[in-house]
């Protein structure tokens, strides 16, 4: 059951708004439940005790796997395309995936993992990552996937914060010409993680790694030996399914917790309606399972809908910048879902690589993670979609669990640079700084008025921070942290973050975390990090750094490199600043607060638009910043 026409979209939107209980009760019937819910929805944005499908019981893997065995056992669920284009593809049918998941679930059980335990995954994009995610869900363990580009310290922080007792990793992971030494990094992380009892290690790149006796076990032979029978653990709808970390504007990353029932309905419903896949279509989402996009539109959404998808281990530019187009041609991909940063990056290589391939299988294009600029939208539409594919520009967040605002492919109209209209059940609101709701064509801060099934229920171990981060700016509303414009037809255009998060290549990074990392350098006394417009990444990272005047400094170039590498080591390579400017002081208010607005303007070369600087404690420093701007 899905929306088929624009008129039907209007009708469903109205029903979901006016009778959410009936609407979501009906939608939930598209899934298998072990026990029916008693109440569809409880709680609101004041009480924050949000619950969906109370008393309902289910296992999400039964919905992703078991129920397809009847008529799709031999249909391919996953086509694995390795980093090395010469490595043969691995096709995994629904039946094979089901068996592997059950086997891995038994391996986890044999290593003491029980319902409710947390399991951390730090792996490359191989089918075993997907299998491990589903194996956790099968036995009711809470998975927390950490992106393989994060450092040992970032990994340790996440393992300890969620209290994981088992880690699943790989010897390493190929990425283009390089290799990420995952097991080595995990070993350094584990020095600070006393609660991890067992580590399961998949072989991927066949390098020598240290294996700690009693703690580390090779996973592949264990899977081969394990039984392929594993009854699913019966979960309450509100039991946790996973924790996924997302940067915060202050402090350490937030472990957003999603639950079994509501998340399942949301991931399944949004995939079905936004992408509108038909029989024999092939879906490809280029995200990594380490991010929410990979959770909802690789691990869960496609499988909940019995789709066939490509899973890709590599990077868009290896062995050349035509890799995406080659893979689309090779597997006749029909639905392609990627990030604007990748589109802009590949656009820069010209049409030579695109024109070499037959992309006529494509029916639908998707975009996610950051605003897509008009030029990239047009290029994507014209050269990749051949002018005939609708583009679904999907706005959502780790916190929302699934797509919130998007066109429905071929059903509702797309519009360049607009993510268009909210899905049924998503009641958006634009507000001004005081929280007053703005009507009609307008621009303001983007909020959501009512709970939807996929909303993250809390920040793991920190309900106060959950309340503070999302519900305190505008009481009674969920504040997204984004600014947006709305046109006269009700289409939304996201203008970007309005808080201290920077969206770098579709990844949200907290400025505070990067500053903390810079400040750990012995020569640094203070730093301030802001975003600035970057042609390919969307935003780049600009760091202003004050050095200790009492110390001798090495030459600036070496120091910059050292600082950048240090951030890479502490947080992970994606967090490295693009530009570092050594400054004598930072512009501060009389109460000592850094005026980030001015730093952002300077970093963006908007020198004429600095606003009133006379209230600063040290207005003279602004000229200094501009003079030595990088
Ligand atoms: C941004 C990623 C514009 C936005 C799914 C949001 C977007 C943040 C879009 C969440 C889009 C995501 N257009 N901006 N289509 N999609 N964003 O948690 O700023 O990694 O708040 O989730 O990405 O990033 P997150």
């Amino acid at each position: 059951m899905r929306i088929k026409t624009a008129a039907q979209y209007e009708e469903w939107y109205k029903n979901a708004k006016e009778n959410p209980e009936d609407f979501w009760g009906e939608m939930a019937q598209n899934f298998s439940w072990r026990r029916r819910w008693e109440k569809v929805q409880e709680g609101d944005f004041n009480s924050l005790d949000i619950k969906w499908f109370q008393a309902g019981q289910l296992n999400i893997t039964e919905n992703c796997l078991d129920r397809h065995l009847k008529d799709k056992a031999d249909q391919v669920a996953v086509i694995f395309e390795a980093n090395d284009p010469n490595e043969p593809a691995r096709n995994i049918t629904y039946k094979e995936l089901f068996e592997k998941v059950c086997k891995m679930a038994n391996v986890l059980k044999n290593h003491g993992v029980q319902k409710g335990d947390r399991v951390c995954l730090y792996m490359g994009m191989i089918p075993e990552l997907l299998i491990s995610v589903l194996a956790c869900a099968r036995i009711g363990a809470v998975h927390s996937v950490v992106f393989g580009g994060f450092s040992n310290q970032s990994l340790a922080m996440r393992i300890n914060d969620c209290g994981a007792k088992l880690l699943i990793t790989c010897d390493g992971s190929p990425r283009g010409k390089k290799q990420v030494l995952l097991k080595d990094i995990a070993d350094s992380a584990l020095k600070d993680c006393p609660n991890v009892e067992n580590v399961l290690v998949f072989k991927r790149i066949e390098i020598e790694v240290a294996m700690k006796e009693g703690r580390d076990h090779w996973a592949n032979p264990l899977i081969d030996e394990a039984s392929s029978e594993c009854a699913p653990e019966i979960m309450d709808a509100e039991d946790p399914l996973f924790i996924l970390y997302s940067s915060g504007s202050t402090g350490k990353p937030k472990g957003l917790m999603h639950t079994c029932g509501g998340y399942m309905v949301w991931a399944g419903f949004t995939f079905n309606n936004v992408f509108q896949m038909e029989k024999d279509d092939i879906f490809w989402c280029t995200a990594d399972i380490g991010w929410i996009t990979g959770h909802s539109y690789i691990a869960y959404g496609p499988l909940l809908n019995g789709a066939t998808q490509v899973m890709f281990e590599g990077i868009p530019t290896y062995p050349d910048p035509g890799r995406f187009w080659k893979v689309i041609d090779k597997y006749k991909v029909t639905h392609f879902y990627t990030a604007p940063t990748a589109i802009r990056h590949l656009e820069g290589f010209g049409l030579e690589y695109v024109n070499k391939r037959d992309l006529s299988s494509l029916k639908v294009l998707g975009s996610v993670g950051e605003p897509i600029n008009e030029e990239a939208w047009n290029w994507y539409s014209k050269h990749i979609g051949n002018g005939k594919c609708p583009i679904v520009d999907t706005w959502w967040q780790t916190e929302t669990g699934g797509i919130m605002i998007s066109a429905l492919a071929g059903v509702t109209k797309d519009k360049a640079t607009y993510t268009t209209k909210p899905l049924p059940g998503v009641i958006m609101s634009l507000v001004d700084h005081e929280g007053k709701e703005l009507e009609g064509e307008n621009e303001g801060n983007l909020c959501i008025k009512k709970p939807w099934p996929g909303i993250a229920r809390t920040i793991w171990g920190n309900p106060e921070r959950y309340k503070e981060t999302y519900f305190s700016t505008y009481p009674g509303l969920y504040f997204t942290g984004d600014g947006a414009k709305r046109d006269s037809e009700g289409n939304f255009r996201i203008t970007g973050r309005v808080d201290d998060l920077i969206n770098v290549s579709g990844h949200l990074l907290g400025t505070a975390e990067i500053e903390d990392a810079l400040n750990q350098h012995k020569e640094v006394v203070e730093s301030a990090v802001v975003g600035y417009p970057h042609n390919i990444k969307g935003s780049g990272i600009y760091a202003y750094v004050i050095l200790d005047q009492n110390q001798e400094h090495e030459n600036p170039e070496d120091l910059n490199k050292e600082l950048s590498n240090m951030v890479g080591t502490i947080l992970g390579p994606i967090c490295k600043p693009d530009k570092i400017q050594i400054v004598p002081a930072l512009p501060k208010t009389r109460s000592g607060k850094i005026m980030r607005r001015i730093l952002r303007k300077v970093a963006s070369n908007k020198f004429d638009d600095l606003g009133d600087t006379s209230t600063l404690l040290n207005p003279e420093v602004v000229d200094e910043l501009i003079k030595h701007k990088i």
Side-chain angles (χ1 to χ4, degrees):
M1 198 171 47
R2 71 160 66 134
I3 302 172
K4 280 278 154 217
T5 62
Q8 206 180 7
Y9 158 76
E10 299 291 343
E11 189 189 314
W12 283 37
Y13 186 85
K14 189 162 171 273
N15 288 345
K17 188 171 177 181
E18 289 171 5
N19 296 306
E21 296 267 320
D22 292 351
F23 181 84
W24 290 112
E26 206 179 318
M27 289 305 134
Q29 285 173 37
N30 293 323
F31 299 85
S32 340
W33 297 79
R34 285 295 183 106
R35 188 175 140 192
R36 199 186 150 89
W37 54 93
E38 282 165 12
K39 180 96 180 77
V40 171
Q41 201 254 311
E42 280 171 275
D44 58 34
F45 289 162
N46 292 305
S47 70
L48 290 188
D49 188 18
I50 297 158
K51 294 194 172 86
W52 284 86
F53 311 112
Q54 264 288 64
Q57 291 189 321
L58 74 149
N59 185 292
I60 194 168
T61 67
E62 270 196 305
N63 283 274
C64 290
L65 301 168
D66 308 50
R67 71 174 168 150
H68 302 312
L69 296 181
K70 209 165 53 280
D71 53 354
K72 290 187 171 168
D74 297 324
Q75 180 193 310
V76 173
V78 178
I79 305 167
F80 173 64
E81 168 78 7
N83 178 64
D84 176 356
N86 298 318
E87 189 176 319
R90 265 172 79 186
N91 282 345
I92 305 171
T93 63
Y94 270 94
K95 179 154 179 281
E96 287 162 347
L97 187 61
F98 167 77
E99 283 171 1
K100 292 240 189 254
V101 168
C102 288
K103 280 168 168 268
M104 183 64 187
N106 283 323
V107 173
L108 290 172
K109 276 192 188 169
N110 295 340
H111 288 81
V113 180
Q114 295 177 347
K115 177 175 178 175
D117 286 344
R118 272 81 61 208
V119 171
C120 188
L121 293 81
Y122 184 63
M123 302 171 68
M125 277 288 286
I126 51 175
E128 285 68 23
L129 168 55
L130 173 64
I131 290 164
S132 300
V133 161
L134 296 170
C136 290
R138 185 88 180 162
I139 61 170
V142 181
H143 57 77
S144 184
V145 184
V146 177
F147 173 59
F150 280 123
S151 68
N152 58 331
Q153 292 186 30
S154 300
L155 174 61
M157 179 258 132
R158 286 160 172 79
I159 291 176
N160 290 329
D161 187 77
C162 74
K165 64 191 279 195
L166 185 141
L167 174 72
I168 311 177
T169 187
C170 306
D171 51 358
S173 171
R175 272 186 81 71
K177 277 190 224 127
K178 297 189 195 146
Q179 290 184 328
V180 186
L181 304 179
L182 294 168
K183 176 65 166 66
D184 268 10
I185 302 171
D187 280 336
S188 343
L190 289 172
K191 287 190 191 128
D192 299 320
C193 305
N195 296 332
V196 173
E197 294 160 12
N198 288 291
V199 181
L200 298 171
V201 188
F202 283 99
K203 261 210 168 89
R204 174 61 185 143
I205 56 173
E206 305 285 340
I207 47 162
E208 285 268 324
V209 295
M211 293 292 278
K212 188 168 168 186
E213 184 77 37
R215 186 196 71 182
D216 301 352
H217 321 274
W218 288 109
N220 309 70
L222 291 173
I223 290 202
D224 292 343
E225 288 157 22
S227 153
S228 60
E229 263 171 52
C230 178
E233 188 75 34
I234 305 306
M235 307 297 286
D236 287 339
E238 283 296 322
D239 279 340
L241 173 65
F242 67 84
I243 299 166
L244 183 62
Y245 286 83
S246 175
S247 297
S249 36
T250 55
K252 57 184 188 183
K254 313 170 292 237
L256 291 154
M257 194 270 273
H258 284 279
T259 55
C260 296
Y263 175 83
M264 171 180 75
V265 170
W266 196 243
F269 171 84
T270 53
F271 180 86
N272 184 24
N273 283 287
V274 170
F275 294 105
Q276 300 274 327
M277 302 250 311
E278 301 293 343
K279 194 172 167 294
D280 300 329
D281 280 352
I282 307 231
F283 182 75
W284 181 20
C285 166
T286 67
D288 189 291
I289 294 186
W291 306 103
I292 191 70
T293 306
H295 278 62
S296 303
Y297 302 107
I298 298 177
Y300 290 112
L303 299 179
L304 285 167
N305 286 281
T308 299
Q309 67 176 323
V310 174
M311 178 176 184
F312 178 46
E313 182 184 37
I315 56 172
T317 49
Y318 178 80
D320 64 45
R323 187 69 188 273
F324 275 3
W325 324 131
K326 185 173 175 188
V327 172
I328 291 172
D329 189 358
K330 182 171 173 190
Y331 300 116
K332 304 295 167 213
V333 170
T334 55
H335 291 62
F336 180 62
Y337 190 31
T338 196
T341 189
I343 300 165
R344 288 189 296 261
H345 189 47
L346 297 177
E347 182 186 349
F349 294 95
L351 289 174
E352 175 198 345
Y353 293 102
V354 180
N355 292 342
K356 260 207 269 192
R357 306 292 168 195
D358 175 6
L359 303 182
S360 62
S361 58
L362 286 172
K363 296 183 187 172
V364 173
L365 300 176
S367 174
V368 59
E370 45 177 325
I372 177 162
N373 49 309
E374 189 148 7
E375 199 203 336
W377 198 100
N378 287 332
W379 188 84
Y380 197 29
S381 169
K382 181 169 173 203
H383 297 292
I384 305 307
N386 195 19
K388 67 175 175 66
C389 300
I391 296 185
V392 292
D393 177 5
T394 61
W395 176 87
W396 58 295
Q397 310 180 296
T398 306
E399 293 82 350
T400 70
I403 297 168
M404 300 291 278
I405 311 181
S406 173
L408 311 180
V411 171
T412 61
K413 268 204 300 213
D414 60 14
K415 178 172 177 181
T417 76
Y418 281 76
T419 117
T420 74
K421 295 193 179 168
L423 265 55
V426 179
I427 317 297
M428 304 300 308
S429 175
L430 274 187
V431 301
D432 68 10
H433 288 293
E434 272 87 57
K436 193 166 106 342
E437 183 157 14
L438 303 168
E439 301 293 337
E441 195 175 347
N442 230 318
E443 178 167 2
N445 286 346
L446 193 66
C447 293
I448 306 172
K449 284 187 179 173
K450 289 266 159 61
W452 62 98
I455 186 174
R457 303 295 194 265
T458 190
I459 292 176
W460 187 258
N462 202 343
E464 273 309 306
R465 190 175 179 198
Y466 176 71
K467 184 172 171 185
E468 171 68 27
T469 308
Y470 305 108
F471 304 98
S472 68
T473 318
Y474 305 114
L477 295 176
Y478 167 90
F479 178 39
T480 64
D482 281 341
K485 279 183 185 165
R486 187 173 45 208
D487 73 5
S488 58
E489 292 173 338
N491 292 305
F492 286 91
R493 174 185 188 156
I494 307 299
T495 49
R497 298 293 306 185
V498 294
D499 56 9
D500 286 331
L501 291 177
I502 321 181
N503 194 327
V504 181
S505 301
H507 305 316
L508 281 190
L509 305 176
T511 52
E513 258 196 302
I514 303 173
E515 288 163 7
D516 285 347
L518 287 166
N519 295 348
Q520 287 180 37
H521 193 280
K522 60 181 190 320
E523 292 177 38
V524 173
V525 284
E526 195 177 8
S527 61
V529 168
V530 296
Y532 70 96
H534 186 287
N535 281 348
I536 289 169
K537 299 182 184 182
S539 299
I541 304 174
Y542 199 109
Y544 299 89
V545 171
I546 304 178
L547 298 179
D548 184 348
Q549 294 310 318
N550 302 319
Q551 289 189 41
E552 290 275 315
H553 302 301
E554 31 193 318
N555 87 50
E557 235 168 67
D558 289 347
L559 180 66
N560 274 10
K561 230 183 252 153
E562 203 177 301
L563 287 171
S564 169
N565 286 338
M566 203 173 102
V567 176
T569 313
I570 294 174
L571 296 173
I574 51 167
C575 303
K576 282 186 182 182
D578 297 275
K579 295 185 180 181
I580 299 177
Q581 182 177 356
I582 308 294
V583 294
L586 292 165
K588 292 203 173 160
T589 62
R590 286 175 201 281
S591 58
K593 239 181 103 186
I594 298 174
M595 277 285 254
R596 289 172 179 279
R597 180 175 55 79
I598 291 179
L599 294 176
R600 274 194 287 265
K601 293 266 159 78
V602 173
S604 316
N605 292 327
K606 291 184 185 152
F607 306 138
D608 299 335
D609 184 25
L610 295 175
D612 185 8
T613 54
S614 65
T615 55
L616 289 174
L617 188 66
N618 49 357
E620 69 289 349
V621 75
V622 178
D623 289 336
E624 192 68 25
L625 297 184
I626 295 175
K627 204 159 111 202
H628 299 289
K629 159 93 196 355
I630 297 174

